[in-house]
Amino acid sequence: MPVYPPEPWRIKMVEPLRTTTRDDREEALREAGWNPCLLRSEDVYVDLFTDSGTNAMSDRQWSALMRGDEAYAGARSFYVFEEAVRAFYGYEHVIPVHQGRGGENILSRCLIRPGTHVPGNMYFPSTRAHQELNGATFHDVIVDEAHDAESEHPFKGDVDLGKLRAVIAEFGADAIPYVSLAATVNMAGGQPISVANVAETCALAHAHGIPVFLDTARAVENAWLVKQREPGWARASVAEILLALCAPTDGAVMSAKKDSLANIGGWIALRDPVLAEQARGLVLVYEGLHTYGGMTGRDMEAIAVGIAESVEEDHIRARVAQVEYLGERLDRAGVPITRPIGGHCVCIDAAAALPHVPRTDFPAQTVACAIYLEAGVRGVERGAVTAGRDPVTGVNRLPKLELLRLAIPRRVYTRAHMDLVADTVIAVHRDRDRIACGLTFAYEPRHLRFFQARFKPVSGASIFDTR
C-alpha cells in the first residue's frame, strides 16, 4: 500500500454532506433514468463524477477574488492572468475562454475544414465532438498499450509514430490541420505522455508542416508522472517539466477547472501571431471580449494564483498520492482497474468486472449505478456510452476500454472519504454476480450522450437479481 501523506492543507470551511438511505438512492436513480450524471448533487455523498471545476480553492485564491477588475475591456486582471500563463506554460499569445470546450470550439473553427483528418493520442468526447462538427475525422494514433487496461507501460499517452506516419501517408499533410495531443490522456485513465514523445511527435509533424496543439488541462499531473517515470527528469522541478512538455508544441487549449484549481475558466495559448489574431476574432463572437473571454476578473485572478499553486511540489505530490492510494486499495482487493494508476482518476475495468454483461448493454454504466446505490458514490462511464455512434454508419462505437472513471477533485476529500469509496467498490465487486443485467437507452441525445441520456434495465425493473 502506498504511503498516504498528510494533506498539505488544513480545513477552514466545511460543506455539509447529506446521508441517504438505499431507498432514497434507488428513488433518485430511477428519477435520473439510471444515469448518475442526472442526479441532484445533494443526493450524492462522495462525488467523483469529475475533477473539473470541483476543486477547493485556497485562501490565496479566495483573497485574489477580491482583486478582480471587472472592466469590460483591458481589465488589469487579464494581464495578471496572461503573465501567469506565459510564465508557467511558455506561450506568447494568451486568449481567455469560459472553459476548455470553448477553446476547443475556437481552435476547431480556426483550423478545420470539411473532409480533413485530425490524429491524436486517443479521443476526448468534447474535443472530438468539436472536430467532427467542423467536418474532420479523428484518428487515434496512441500506442497500443493504452488500450490494454492491464499493461504497466509507464507512458500510455505516447503517440505511436508509425501510426502517425501512416495517417500522414494516407491522407497527405495538407488534409491534416493539426495533431491533437493530450497530457494526460483522460480516456485511458489519466495516463501520461513522455517529454521525449512530445518532442518526437512535434518533430515528425513539423517536418510535414503540421502544427501540434496540446490539451494541458492536466499537464501538471503529467509533469509529476514524468518526474517519477521518465529517465533524466527526476531532479527537475514540476514547473521545469511543464515548460518542457509545452515547448515543442505550437499552442495549447486549457480548462483551468482542472490543474489550475479553479471552478470555471480556460484559455487558448498560441505561438503564431496570425492564428492568435484569428482566434481572438472568433472569441469576440462566441466567448466575449478577448481580454475576458467569458470570465470575470475575479475568475482570472483566482486562476493566476491557482496556476502557481498547481506546480508546488507538496501539492502535486499529495494530489497524485491520494489517487494512487485509492487505486492500490482496489487493486489489492482484486477489483480490475486500469494500470498503472493515473494522475487524476482510478478507472475500473467494467468489462472485466462484469463479463456476463454484454458490451452493448453498457457494463460501465451499470457498475456506476451499482456503486451509487451501494453508498451514494458517483463516478462516470467512460466506455461505449461516452464513445457515441459512428457519424457515418450510426452504429455504436465499442472502444477497447470499457471503464468506470472515479475522478478525484483536488483538495476536497480526505483519506476517510477514499476509504469509503474503496469499501463501496470492493463490496459491489464482491457481490457482482447479483447484477443480473445491463442497461439500454430510454432516451438518447445526439451529442455527448453520457451527459443527458436516460436508461432502463435490459430486463425487469432493476439491474439486480431480486431472488
Side-chain angles (χ1 to χ4, degrees):
M1 187 71 67
V3 173
Y4 193 108
E7 287 83 357
W9 38 263
R10 58 188 176 191
I11 296 167
K12 186 175 284 190
M13 183 181 74
V14 297
E15 178 183 357
L17 298 174
R18 173 173 169 257
T19 302
T20 58
T21 66
R22 174 80 179 217
D23 288 343
D24 291 334
R25 295 191 292 273
E26 285 199 18
E27 181 180 357
L29 191 58
R30 290 181 191 280
E31 289 181 359
W34 295 86
N35 186 354
C37 182
L38 297 178
L39 292 165
R40 293 174 178 261
S41 65
E42 65 224 46
D43 293 325
V44 177
Y45 193 74
V46 177
D47 199 346
L48 306 185
F49 184 82
T50 184
D51 63 318
S52 177
T54 55
N55 307 298
M57 292 202 301
S58 69
D59 54 351
R60 289 175 287 180
Q61 286 180 289
W62 282 105
S63 297
L65 290 175
M66 302 305 295
R67 299 195 298 268
D69 177 0
E70 305 306 340
Y72 187 88
R76 180 192 58 80
S77 298
F78 165 72
Y79 298 102
V80 172
F81 166 84
E82 179 186 53
E83 179 53 35
V85 176
R86 285 176 172 173
F88 288 95
Y89 290 85
Y91 301 104
E92 175 64 22
H93 302 282
V94 180
I95 307 163
V97 291
H98 78 282
Q99 64 180 68
R101 69 193 58 175
E104 293 168 348
N105 176 45
I106 299 301
L107 191 65
S108 295
R109 286 177 176 272
C110 284
L111 296 174
I112 291 174
R113 63 186 188 276
T116 53
H117 301 266
V118 178
N121 58 344
M122 199 175 286
Y123 82 98
F124 183 71
S126 64
T127 311
R128 187 175 66 186
H130 285 298
Q131 292 164 352
E132 291 179 347
L133 286 169
N134 282 280
T137 300
F138 177 79
H139 298 269
D140 188 358
V141 294
I142 204 165
V143 293
D144 289 342
E145 290 88 344
H147 298 283
D148 180 358
E150 296 181 350
S151 170
E152 291 284 353
H153 191 287
F155 290 102
K156 287 183 173 181
D158 280 359
V159 168
D160 183 320
L161 298 178
K163 292 180 182 179
L164 179 55
R165 289 189 186 95
V167 172
I168 296 171
E170 180 175 358
F171 300 106
D174 289 344
I176 299 174
Y178 63 93
V179 175
S180 178
L181 293 185
T184 59
V185 179
N186 194 346
M187 300 299 290
Q191 300 296 324
I193 183 172
S194 65
V195 173
N197 188 256
V198 173
E200 291 166 349
T201 301
C202 290
L204 173 57
H206 291 161
H208 291 85
I210 302 169
V212 179
F213 295 97
L214 186 65
D215 180 341
T216 56
R218 299 179 180 89
V220 177
E221 292 165 3
N222 197 113
W224 175 260
L225 295 173
V226 163
K227 184 178 176 72
Q228 309 310 307
R229 301 178 187 177
E230 187 170 358
W233 291 99
R235 295 184 179 275
S237 70
V238 170
E240 290 168 339
I241 299 170
L242 178 62
L243 283 171
L245 283 165
C246 297
T249 68
D250 299 276
V253 172
M254 178 67 169
S255 169
K257 299 167 68 177
K258 281 84 169 177
D259 273 349
S260 297
L261 300 161
N263 301 130
I264 197 67
W267 43 262
I268 307 166
L270 301 167
R271 303 196 193 280
D272 180 356
V274 175
L275 179 58
E277 197 60 25
Q278 182 185 0
R280 289 188 189 100
L282 288 177
V283 164
L284 289 171
V285 176
Y286 292 104
E287 297 286 314
L289 198 70
H290 65 281
T291 54
Y292 77 89
M295 285 190 287
T296 65
R298 298 186 295 275
D299 297 327
M300 291 187 283
E301 293 278 358
I303 290 169
V305 174
I307 288 173
E309 291 182 351
S310 72
V311 298
E312 292 175 358
E313 304 274 329
D314 285 346
H315 158 72
I316 192 62
R317 178 186 297 108
R319 189 283 188 280
V320 176
Q322 186 179 52
V323 178
E324 291 174 345
Y325 175 80
L326 175 60
E328 291 295 347
R329 274 215 59 194
L330 298 184
D331 191 46
R332 287 171 181 266
V335 178
I337 64 169
T338 297
R339 300 283 310 181
I341 298 164
H344 75 287
C345 65
V346 177
C347 288
I348 298 167
D349 183 351
L354 297 182
H356 58 288
V357 175
R359 290 291 308 279
T360 51
D361 293 348
F362 309 129
Q365 187 75 19
T366 304
V367 172
C369 291
I371 289 172
Y372 172 72
L373 289 172
E374 179 71 19
V377 175
R378 174 160 65 173
V380 66
E381 187 268 5
R382 284 291 179 254
V385 175
T386 299
R389 294 183 181 274
D390 184 283
V392 177
T393 66
V395 175
N396 275 319
R397 294 172 168 130
L398 296 179
K400 292 181 180 179
L401 295 176
E402 178 74 14
L403 306 177
L404 169 65
R405 188 190 72 181
L406 302 173
I408 301 176
R410 297 159 188 82
R411 305 192 297 207
V412 172
Y413 292 116
T414 66
R415 176 173 178 169
H417 290 109
M418 294 301 100
D419 283 333
L420 171 67
V421 173
D423 292 342
T424 299
V425 174
I426 291 166
V428 169
H429 185 67
R430 182 187 61 231
D431 297 333
R432 60 193 179 278
D433 290 342
R434 287 191 55 235
I435 298 175
C437 69
L439 297 163
T440 188
F441 283 113
Y443 163 70
E444 180 184 358
R446 185 175 179 185
H447 300 297
L448 300 178
R449 60 189 187 178
F450 63 92
F451 280 126
Q452 294 180 300
R454 301 181 75 85
F455 301 87
K456 60 184 178 181
V458 169
S459 61
S462 174
I463 60 174
F464 288 99
D465 186 345
T466 55
R467 292 176 296 176

